[in-house]
CSV table of all heavy atoms in Angstrom, one decimal:
chain,number,residue,atom,x,y,z
A,232,GLN,N,74.2,27.0,115.6
A,232,GLN,CA,74.0,27.2,117.0
A,232,GLN,C,73.1,26.1,117.5
A,232,GLN,O,71.8,26.3,117.6
A,232,GLN,CB,73.3,28.6,117.3
A,232,GLN,CG,74.1,29.8,116.9
A,232,GLN,CD,75.3,30.0,117.7
A,232,GLN,OE1,76.3,30.7,117.3
A,232,GLN,NE2,75.3,29.5,118.9
A,233,PRO,N,73.7,24.9,117.8
A,233,PRO,CA,72.9,23.7,118.1
A,233,PRO,C,72.4,23.7,119.6
A,233,PRO,O,71.9,22.6,120.0
A,233,PRO,CB,73.7,22.6,117.7
A,233,PRO,CG,75.1,23.1,117.8
A,233,PRO,CD,75.1,24.5,117.7
A,234,GLU,N,72.4,24.8,120.3
A,234,GLU,CA,72.2,24.8,121.8
A,234,GLU,C,70.9,24.2,122.1
A,234,GLU,O,70.6,23.4,123.0
A,234,GLU,CB,72.4,26.1,122.4
A,234,GLU,CG,73.9,26.6,122.6
A,234,GLU,CD,74.4,27.3,121.3
A,234,GLU,OE1,73.8,27.1,120.3
A,234,GLU,OE2,75.4,28.0,121.4
A,235,VAL,N,69.8,24.6,121.3
A,235,VAL,CA,68.4,24.1,121.7
A,235,VAL,C,68.3,22.6,121.6
A,235,VAL,O,67.5,22.1,122.3
A,235,VAL,CB,67.3,24.9,120.9
A,235,VAL,CG1,67.3,26.3,121.2
A,235,VAL,CG2,67.5,24.5,119.4
A,236,THR,N,69.2,21.9,121.0
A,236,THR,CA,69.1,20.5,120.9
A,236,THR,C,69.6,19.9,122.2
A,236,THR,O,69.4,18.6,122.5
A,236,THR,CB,69.9,19.9,119.6
A,236,THR,OG1,71.3,20.1,119.9
A,236,THR,CG2,69.5,20.5,118.3
A,237,LEU,N,70.2,20.7,122.9
A,237,LEU,CA,70.8,20.3,124.2
A,237,LEU,C,70.0,20.9,125.4
A,237,LEU,O,70.3,20.7,126.5
A,237,LEU,CB,72.3,20.7,124.4
A,237,LEU,CG,73.3,20.1,123.4
A,237,LEU,CD1,74.6,20.9,123.5
A,237,LEU,CD2,73.4,18.6,123.7
A,238,GLY,N,68.9,21.5,125.1
A,238,GLY,CA,68.0,22.1,126.1
A,238,GLY,C,68.4,23.4,126.7
A,238,GLY,O,68.1,23.9,127.7
A,239,ILE,N,69.3,24.1,126.0
A,239,ILE,CA,69.8,25.5,126.4
A,239,ILE,C,69.8,26.4,125.3
A,239,ILE,O,69.7,26.0,124.1
A,239,ILE,CB,71.2,25.5,127.0
A,239,ILE,CG1,72.3,24.9,126.0
A,239,ILE,CG2,71.4,24.7,128.3
A,239,ILE,CD1,73.7,24.9,126.4
A,240,CYS,N,69.7,27.7,125.6
A,240,CYS,CA,69.8,28.8,124.6
A,240,CYS,C,71.3,29.0,124.3
A,240,CYS,O,72.3,28.8,125.2
A,240,CYS,CB,69.0,30.0,124.9
A,240,CYS,SG,69.7,30.8,126.4
A,241,PRO,N,71.6,29.7,123.2
A,241,PRO,CA,73.0,30.2,123.0
A,241,PRO,C,73.5,31.0,124.2
A,241,PRO,O,72.5,31.8,124.8
A,241,PRO,CB,73.1,31.1,121.8
A,241,PRO,CG,71.9,30.4,120.9
A,241,PRO,CD,70.9,30.2,122.0
A,242,GLY,N,74.6,30.9,124.7
A,242,GLY,CA,74.9,31.6,126.0
A,242,GLY,C,76.2,32.5,126.0
A,242,GLY,O,76.6,33.1,126.9
A,243,TRP,N,76.8,32.5,124.8
A,243,TRP,CA,78.1,33.3,124.6
A,243,TRP,C,78.0,34.4,123.6
A,243,TRP,O,78.9,34.7,122.7
A,243,TRP,CB,79.3,32.4,124.4
A,243,TRP,CG,79.8,31.6,125.5
A,243,TRP,CD1,79.4,31.5,126.8
A,243,TRP,CD2,80.8,30.5,125.5
A,243,TRP,NE1,79.9,30.5,127.6
A,243,TRP,CE2,81.0,30.1,126.8
A,243,TRP,CE3,81.8,30.2,124.5
A,243,TRP,CZ2,81.9,29.0,127.1
A,243,TRP,CZ3,82.6,29.2,124.8
A,243,TRP,CH2,82.6,28.7,126.1
A,244,GLY,N,76.8,34.9,123.6
A,244,GLY,CA,76.6,36.1,122.8
A,244,GLY,C,75.9,35.7,121.3
A,244,GLY,O,75.6,36.7,120.5
A,245,GLY,N,75.6,34.5,121.2
A,245,GLY,CA,75.0,34.1,119.9
A,245,GLY,C,73.8,34.8,119.6
A,245,GLY,O,73.6,35.2,118.4
A,246,THR,N,72.8,34.9,120.5
A,246,THR,CA,71.5,35.5,120.1
A,246,THR,C,71.8,37.0,119.7
A,246,THR,O,71.0,37.4,118.8
A,246,THR,CB,70.5,35.5,121.4
A,246,THR,OG1,71.1,36.1,122.5
A,246,THR,CG2,70.3,34.0,121.8
A,247,GLN,N,72.7,37.7,120.3
A,247,GLN,CA,72.8,39.0,120.1
A,247,GLN,C,73.7,39.3,118.8
A,247,GLN,O,73.4,40.2,118.1
A,247,GLN,CB,73.4,39.7,121.3
A,247,GLN,CG,72.6,39.5,122.5
A,247,GLN,CD,71.1,39.9,122.3
A,247,GLN,OE1,70.8,41.0,121.9
A,247,GLN,NE2,70.3,38.9,122.5
A,248,ARG,N,74.9,38.6,118.8
A,248,ARG,CA,75.8,38.9,117.6
A,248,ARG,C,75.2,38.4,116.3
A,248,ARG,O,75.3,39.0,115.3
A,248,ARG,CB,77.2,38.3,118.0
A,248,ARG,CG,77.8,39.1,119.0
A,248,ARG,CD,79.3,39.0,119.1
A,248,ARG,NE,80.0,39.8,120.1
A,248,ARG,CZ,80.2,39.4,121.4
A,248,ARG,NH1,79.9,38.1,121.6
A,248,ARG,NH2,80.7,40.3,122.3
A,249,LEU,N,74.6,37.2,116.4
A,249,LEU,CA,74.0,36.6,115.1
A,249,LEU,C,72.9,37.5,114.6
A,249,LEU,O,73.0,37.8,113.4
A,249,LEU,CB,73.5,35.2,115.5
A,249,LEU,CG,73.4,34.2,114.4
A,249,LEU,CD1,74.7,34.0,113.6
A,249,LEU,CD2,72.9,32.8,114.9
A,250,LEU,N,72.1,38.0,115.5
A,250,LEU,CA,71.1,39.0,115.2
A,250,LEU,C,71.7,40.1,114.5
A,250,LEU,O,71.1,40.6,113.4
A,250,LEU,CB,70.4,39.3,116.4
A,250,LEU,CG,69.6,40.7,116.4
A,250,LEU,CD1,68.5,40.7,115.7
A,250,LEU,CD2,69.3,41.3,118.0
A,251,ARG,N,72.8,40.7,114.9
A,251,ARG,CA,73.3,41.9,114.3
A,251,ARG,C,74.1,41.6,113.1
A,251,ARG,O,74.1,42.5,112.2
A,251,ARG,CB,74.2,42.6,115.4
A,251,ARG,CG,73.4,43.3,116.5
A,251,ARG,CD,74.4,43.6,117.7
A,251,ARG,NE,73.7,44.5,118.7
A,251,ARG,CZ,72.8,44.0,119.5
A,251,ARG,NH1,72.4,42.8,119.4
A,251,ARG,NH2,72.3,44.9,120.4
A,252,ILE,N,74.5,40.4,113.0
A,252,ILE,CA,75.2,40.1,111.7
A,252,ILE,C,74.4,39.6,110.5
A,252,ILE,O,74.6,40.1,109.4
A,252,ILE,CB,76.5,39.1,112.0
A,252,ILE,CG1,77.4,39.7,112.9
A,252,ILE,CG2,77.1,38.6,110.7
A,252,ILE,CD1,78.5,38.7,113.5
A,253,ILE,N,73.4,38.9,110.8
A,253,ILE,CA,72.6,38.2,109.8
A,253,ILE,C,71.1,38.6,109.8
A,253,ILE,O,70.3,38.2,108.9
A,253,ILE,CB,72.7,36.7,109.6
A,253,ILE,CG1,72.3,35.9,110.9
A,253,ILE,CG2,74.2,36.2,109.3
A,253,ILE,CD1,72.2,34.5,110.8
A,254,GLY,N,70.8,39.4,110.9
A,254,GLY,CA,69.3,39.9,110.9
A,254,GLY,C,68.5,38.8,111.8
A,254,GLY,O,68.8,37.6,111.9
A,255,PRO,N,67.3,39.3,112.3
A,255,PRO,CA,66.6,38.6,113.2
A,255,PRO,C,66.0,37.3,112.6
A,255,PRO,O,66.0,36.2,113.2
A,255,PRO,CB,65.5,39.5,113.8
A,255,PRO,CG,65.4,40.6,112.8
A,255,PRO,CD,66.8,40.6,112.1
A,256,ALA,N,65.5,37.4,111.3
A,256,ALA,CA,64.8,36.2,110.8
A,256,ALA,C,65.8,35.0,110.6
A,256,ALA,O,65.4,33.9,110.9
A,256,ALA,CB,64.2,36.6,109.4
A,257,ARG,N,66.9,35.3,110.0
A,257,ARG,CA,68.0,34.3,109.7
A,257,ARG,C,68.6,33.8,111.2
A,257,ARG,O,68.8,32.6,111.3
A,257,ARG,CB,69.1,34.8,109.0
A,257,ARG,CG,68.6,34.9,107.4
A,257,ARG,CD,69.6,35.6,106.7
A,257,ARG,NE,69.4,35.4,105.2
A,257,ARG,CZ,69.7,36.3,104.3
A,257,ARG,NH1,70.4,37.3,104.7
A,257,ARG,NH2,69.6,36.0,103.1
A,258,ALA,N,68.7,34.7,112.1
A,258,ALA,CA,69.2,34.3,113.3
A,258,ALA,C,68.3,33.4,114.1
A,258,ALA,O,68.6,32.3,114.7
A,258,ALA,CB,69.5,35.5,114.4
A,259,LYS,N,67.0,33.6,114.1
A,259,LYS,CA,66.0,32.8,114.7
A,259,LYS,C,65.9,31.4,114.0
A,259,LYS,O,65.8,30.4,114.6
A,259,LYS,CB,64.7,33.4,114.6
A,259,LYS,CG,64.5,34.6,115.6
A,259,LYS,CD,63.2,35.3,115.5
A,259,LYS,CE,63.1,36.5,116.5
A,259,LYS,NZ,61.9,37.4,116.2
A,260,ASP,N,66.0,31.5,112.6
A,260,ASP,CA,66.0,30.1,111.8
A,260,ASP,C,67.2,29.2,112.4
A,260,ASP,O,67.0,28.1,112.8
A,260,ASP,CB,66.1,30.5,110.5
A,260,ASP,CG,66.6,29.2,109.6
A,260,ASP,OD1,66.3,28.1,110.0
A,260,ASP,OD2,67.5,29.4,108.7
A,261,LEU,N,68.4,29.8,112.5
A,261,LEU,CA,69.6,28.9,112.9
A,261,LEU,C,69.4,28.5,114.3
A,261,LEU,O,69.7,27.4,114.6
A,261,LEU,CB,70.9,29.8,112.7
A,261,LEU,CG,71.2,30.1,111.3
A,261,LEU,CD1,72.7,30.5,111.2
A,261,LEU,CD2,71.2,28.9,110.5
Side-chain angles (χ1 to χ4, degrees):
Q232 298 291 156
E234 286 88 346
V235 295
T236 67
L237 297 165
I239 54 177
C240 63
W243 288 357
T246 58
Q247 303 308 304
R248 292 199 176 95
L249 207 52
L250 157 71
R251 284 163 174 75
I252 293 170
I253 61 173
R257 285 170 166 155
K259 284 175 183 169
D260 161 32
L261 291 191

